[in-house]
Amino acid sequence: MLLPHPGISTVRGWADSTGTWFVVLFLVAHTVVTVFPIPRTMFTVSAGVLFGPIGILLCMLASTAAAVIAFLAVRAVDARHRSAVLARVREHRAYLPIAARLRARGWLAVGSLRLIAVAPFSLVNYASALSPVRFWPYLAATVAGLAPGTIAVVLLGDALTGESSPWLVVVSGTLMMVGIAGLLVDARMPARPVD
């Protein structure tokens, strides 16, 4: 038996009525939770439902902050403890292919892995920190790679409310195709050593 629940437009109205504190709480929760190995998709869809297109900015800020915090935290770990972090990260079956891409392509791998969520967000953060990829290229590739997918998913979440323009769904689909095209281009490019 299902419990009664409010409709999506009711939830959007509630979010609109709560004011700035809810936006700040959402940003903080999104940032803190996604530093850890917890999928960010629920936040991205929720941002579209709760905030509409402004959710794009919120998700980009929170995801970028989480990526930076995770990267810097792993880099700050001393050598003795870094081997323990590496042992833990290596337990994930996707680590070795990600690490190989990072060694072969450097920051380009970061961008391509971010375009479409082919690898867990947090795992890319940790693996990047354990690789020779430098911080500023990592940050730029993270922002560029997250943007198309984040925009697409937030706009799809917004479309669930029934209040968005049908053109936003077209934009969302187009951005998803950009992400897929980026991955295909990256897969065909010759690998370069990390700079």
Side-chain angles (χ1 to χ4, degrees), residues 2 7 31 55 65 81 103 114 132 139-140 145-146 164 173 180:
L2 295 176
T31 302
H81 291 99
R103 278 192 305 276
R114 301 278 197 212
L139 179 60
L146 285 176
S164 66
I180 292 169

Side-chain angles (χ1 to χ4, degrees), residues 2-166:
L2 295 176
L3 297 174
H5 59 281
I8 290 178
S9 58
T10 304
V11 172
R12 166 77 64 87
W14 174 81
D16 289 342
S17 70
T18 57
T20 307
W21 71 268
F22 184 65
V23 173
V24 172
L25 181 63
F26 182 87
L27 262 172
V28 170
H30 184 329
T31 302
V32 171
V33 169
T34 56
V35 165
F36 300 98
I38 297 170
R40 61 188 268 282
T41 307
M42 66 178 180
F43 284 104
T44 312
V45 172
S46 297
V49 169
L50 295 171
F51 307 111
I54 194 71
I56 295 167
L57 177 63
L58 298 176
C59 285
M60 286 300 297
L61 286 172
S63 295
T64 302
V68 166
I69 291 167
F71 183 89
L72 294 177
V74 171
R75 285 267 168 109
V77 172
D78 64 31
R80 188 180 75 223
H81 291 99
R82 190 174 290 194
S83 61
V85 172
L86 182 57
R88 180 77 174 128
V89 170
R90 277 190 174 157
E91 291 175 7
H92 197 289
R93 62 182 169 75
Y95 173 74
L96 290 177
I98 290 170
R101 286 184 75 83
L102 288 167
R103 278 192 305 276
R105 300 187 191 280
W107 61 270
L108 286 173
V110 175
S112 69
L113 289 166
R114 301 278 197 212
L115 279 170
I116 298 290
V118 295
F121 175 73
S122 58
L123 187 60
V124 174
N125 298 336
Y126 309 150
S128 296
L130 293 167
S131 79
V133 174
R134 294 188 313 251
F135 174 75
W136 291 111
Y138 164 81
L139 179 60
T142 292
V143 171
L146 285 176
T150 299
I151 293 167
V153 173
V154 170
L155 292 178
L156 284 176
D158 182 42
L160 293 175
T161 65
E163 298 175 16
S164 66
S165 164

